[in-house]
Amino acid sequence: MLRPKIPTMPTPIGHVTPPAAVEPTAIVPSVQTPPPAPTAPAPSRPVVQLTPGTVLALVGGGTAVVLVVGTVLVSMLLAVAITGISVAVVAVVLRSLLASETKRR
């Protein structure tokens, strides 16, 4: 039905010669040029100066982040605890129902 066509390797046409060997050349030292004089590097970024306003903003932002992350973590822990308690209550009720059924027989 559907058969893939496998390509064949092309055959070389004409006379094929092996690659020629490369002979090493002699290295002749040239006149050395002195290295350029070092220059003072320009500052890549400006210096950040902290004013009391920026410090207060950073502290306020950090406090807000800590409070939000703490609230999320506590709410997740509370959700896990409530789920665990509800599963435990269901297990006790099922156990009670199964025990009362076996006593009736």
Side-chain angles (χ1 to χ4, degrees):
M1 189 171 180
L2 295 175
R3 290 186 165 186
K5 287 189 172 184
I6 301 174
T8 58
M9 290 294 292
T11 56
I13 300 173
H15 184 66
V16 179
T17 58
V22 178
E23 295 182 15
T25 58
I27 299 175
V28 179
S30 62
V31 177
Q32 297 281 337
T33 58
T39 58
S44 59
R45 58 183 180 171
V47 178
V48 177
Q49 294 183 358
L50 294 177
T51 62
T54 57
V55 170
L56 188 61
L58 287 174
V59 168
T63 304
V65 167
V66 167
L67 289 176
V68 168
V69 169
T71 303
V72 169
L73 290 177
V74 167
S75 64
M76 288 174 65
L77 181 63
L78 186 61
V80 169
I82 291 172
T83 304
I85 291 171
S86 65
V87 168
V89 168
V90 168
V92 168
V93 169
L94 284 176
R95 182 178 171 194
S96 170
L97 289 174
L98 290 175
S100 66
E101 185 178 317
T102 55
K103 286 183 182 178
R104 288 184 188 167
R105 289 186 178 191

